[in-house]
Each structure stands twice: as structure tokens, then as C-alpha cells.
Amino acid sequence: MKLLSTETELIGRGEMVDGRVRGDATCERIEWLVSGYLEKIASSDWETLFRDPSDVRYWEKTYLQSEMHGGGPPSLFALSAEKAHAKYGFTERANSSNP
């Protein structure tokens, strides 16, 4: 499912299944979004910036549980354009639909 205009965060959780921890449905949705829908813009050590091609909002994938191996389950947070540009230091590419 694509991101809804009302969404501002997706926070994955681990769940115990047959004695093993696995990602919940939100983790699976985040993986679908970042692997085939969102456009990757930039990345740093543990964070990656994406853009939603539908509404041009910026989304940051991060891991909130640093005490866990691999940082725990993934999360996605909407970022303002200003914060995205400041944090990742990139210049917006020209939009072909705007003169």
C-alpha cells in the first residue's frame, strides 16, 4: 500500500513467531515502499532519504532501537523539504513540469 497523505510515520515492530523475532506488517510495508516505490535520494550511516513520487514528500528510513542488532526494525518518518535538504546536503533537481 502506498503512503497516504495523512501519514507522517510508520514504525516497524518485532513480533515473536514460532520462537523467532520477525518484522510485523509495518516492517513488510516499509520494505515494499523502499525497495520498489519510493525514490532513493541520499543516505548516511543508518538513515536513508527517499521521496514519494506521488506527492513529492520526503521520507527518512531509520532504525530506532540502536541497542538491538542492526538497529532493530525499520521506521519511516516524513521530513520537511527544508530539514531533508539541511540534513542530507543535496540540491533539488529540476522538475520537468515546472519552467
Side-chain angles (χ1 to χ4, degrees), residues 8 29 45 57 73 81 97:
T8 58
R29 183 173 174 215
D45 293 335
R57 286 189 300 163
S97 64

Side-chain angles (χ1 to χ4, degrees), residues 3 13 19 21 25 34 36 46-48 53-56 58 60-62 65 69-70 74 79 82 85 87 92 94 98:
L3 293 160
R13 306 258 186 256
V21 177
V34 302
W46 287 97
E47 299 163 328
T48 306
S54 296
D55 64 9
V56 195
Y58 291 100
E60 183 178 59
K61 179 183 175 189
T62 190
Q65 298 174 340
H69 178 73
L79 292 181
E82 295 80 15
H85 289 271
K87 184 171 183 176
E92 189 68 42
N98 292 332

Side-chain angles (χ1 to χ4, degrees), residues 8 10-11 29 33 51:
T8 58
L10 297 176
I11 300 175
R29 183 173 174 215
L33 288 163
R51 182 175 29 228

